Amino acid sequence: MNDLIIQNIKQLVLPKSTERPLKGAELDELTIVENGTVVVKDGKVVYSGPYTKDYEATEVIDASHHVVSPALVDAHTHLVHGGSREHEMSLKRQGLSYLEILERGGGILSTVEATRTATEDELFAKAEHDLLTMIHHGVLAVESKSGYGLDKDNELKQLHVSRRLQEKYGIDMRHTFLGPHAVPKEATSNEAFLQQMIDLLPDVKELADFADIFCETGVFTIEESRRYMQAAKDQGFRVKIHADEIDPLGGLGLAIDEAAISADHLVAASDEDKAKLADSDTVAVLLPGTTFYLGKNDYADARGMLENNGAIAIATDFNPGSCVTNNLQMVMAIAALKLKLSPNEVWNAVTVNAAKAIDVDAGTINEGDKANIVIWHAPNHEYIPYHYGINHVDTVIHEGRVIVKRDLTLK
């Protein structure tokens, strides 16, 4: 006897299982099954495909008029942080840029101060609420970065919180050490601070899966980023990079040269670097919610990356300053509208390719996969990025067990 059958599914969304990320035209390949069935036993998918009566289970969910898909994967978040920065919205309205706000002691540095001041339990309570919001919006795999401590004790504090969240809720999480996220006020120089972060790599090795760096004007150069990435690889880390967000410094090309698992942001990536994606499995993680929130007109060139046979994923970049949303569904809509992605491309970019960007077993619900599944209150898979800004989740299933069932009735 099986544990669960989801039956009469109006549309079943089935990204393909693959050893490497989907590249170029592959991103538009997505199996959509009308009138589908999913069967689950012991937390794993036994069957997913067209309607069948060949299985029995102790629990049956009737998904008539609903879409069923793999749970979403958010491949770039700054989940653990102290404080908030709503006061900066007035500065943005006055036309100040991100870097200008940073120069005034705002931006990252104000969040660093709030994170350093907060206790581990205070950070945990705040991040727990935000993580639960993600889960209620259909996300069951999350990458969580440090980077608001900028010293040993507080970077470790952030990573401890991230690990505690995974232990409590059991969802798929990856933890990223982003010590060189900004240069703190007390640093004597960029070079001296970067060396401190390199020296910290052995201490964070038991807590972090990846090492990341912010390569941008006013933060860390290409040469400094290369030095850090190579030191991290020497310590056994896989590497990531915040690259080419504002200026075309060549961060995407560096990521490809260093075999980074992902390069993120990439709004200003050069045509030369985009062409290199064809020969690389580095995933370009695009964050259109950030461009939207910062009020900019130029979005990352997703179509150009795909035309160069590159692999792309979409993520929220949830953080307190430049993308204050943990609703990946909203970002799916922005990706469709502003990155000119098809519905199939959007779905693959937040499932299978997002999973490849953080090396997690997620994003598909084919036979043998973990039964991390979302039932959506929607008539078809195109509807979810179309009807934007709300939560379309009906049910969230974690390893075969219903953990979220939304009730829209009034009490």
Side-chain angles (χ1 to χ4, degrees), residues 338-353:
K338 297 298 186 179
L339 302 187
K340 312 300 182 187
L341 297 182
S342 73
N344 289 359
E345 290 170 333
V346 169
W347 278 100
N348 280 323
V350 296
T351 55
V352 59
N353 268 22

Side-chain angles (χ1 to χ4, degrees), residues 109 112-113 116 149-152 154 182-189 192-193 196-197:
L109 296 181
V112 169
E113 182 63 28
R116 288 177 173 181
L150 307 187
D151 62 23
K152 179 178 179 179
N154 289 291
V183 180
K185 290 180 287 188
E186 69 270 16
T188 56
S189 68
F193 174 69
Q196 291 176 26
M197 295 300 99

Side-chain angles (χ1 to χ4, degrees), residues 65-295:
H65 312 298
H66 290 71
V67 173
V68 170
S69 79
L72 306 183
V73 179
D74 198 339
H76 183 130
T77 85
H78 301 259
L79 177 62
V80 182
H81 61 266
S84 59
R85 284 157 39 193
E86 58 272 20
H87 58 282
E88 291 181 9
M89 290 194 75
S90 62
L91 299 178
K92 293 183 175 77
R93 287 196 297 270
Q94 294 168 34
L96 270 70
S97 71
Y98 176 81
L99 293 179
E100 287 171 331
I101 293 172
L102 183 64
E103 288 170 1
R104 292 189 177 194
I108 288 175
L109 296 181
S110 64
T111 300
V112 169
E113 182 63 28
T115 303
R116 288 177 173 181
T117 302
T119 67
E120 183 174 314
D121 286 344
E122 288 170 339
L123 289 178
F124 181 88
K126 186 176 190 301
E128 181 179 38
H129 178 271
D130 290 325
L131 179 63
L132 290 173
T133 299
M134 293 178 181
I135 292 170
H136 277 259
H137 282 77
V139 172
L140 286 180
V142 178
E143 186 247 18
S144 171
K145 301 180 187 290
S146 69
Y148 291 122
L150 307 187
D151 62 23
K152 179 178 179 179
D153 290 345
N154 289 291
E155 288 292 311
L156 289 172
K157 180 171 68 175
Q158 282 189 270
L159 290 168
H160 277 296
V161 169
S162 189
R163 286 284 179 176
R164 283 176 59 190
L165 288 167
Q166 183 176 19
E167 290 167 7
K168 181 170 181 177
Y169 290 102
I171 71 166
D172 292 315
M173 291 186 70
R174 291 290 181 264
H175 316 275
T176 298
F177 172 57
L178 179 57
H181 190 196
V183 180
K185 290 180 287 188
E186 69 270 16
T188 56
S189 68
N190 281 32
E191 182 178 351
F193 174 69
L194 183 62
Q195 186 59 52
Q196 291 176 26
M197 295 300 99
I198 289 173
D199 292 342
L200 189 50
L201 287 166
D203 294 293
V204 301
K205 189 67 180 69
E206 294 303 312
L207 297 171
D209 302 292
F210 306 111
D212 197 347
I213 187 169
F214 189 12
C215 179
E216 189 52 73
T217 300
V219 193
F220 296 101
T221 66
I222 287 288
E223 292 73 21
E224 289 168 334
S225 300
R226 179 181 291 109
R227 176 183 163 209
Y228 174 79
M229 294 170 83
Q230 291 178 349
K233 289 196 294 184
D234 288 344
Q235 292 290 333
F237 285 95
R238 297 188 73 178
V239 293
K240 293 174 166 283
I241 187 171
H242 283 54
D244 302 326
E245 179 180 2
I246 301 168
D247 294 321
L249 300 187
L252 174 57
L254 174 63
I256 293 169
D257 291 344
E258 295 296 331
I261 190 169
S262 76
D264 301 29
H265 284 291
L266 307 181
V267 175
S270 69
D271 290 341
E272 178 183 1
D273 282 352
K274 283 180 282 189
K276 293 180 181 179
L277 284 167
D279 299 317
S280 170
D281 283 344
T282 294
V283 180
V285 178
L286 308 183
L287 310 169
T290 304
T291 307
F292 169 82
Y293 188 77
L294 292 176

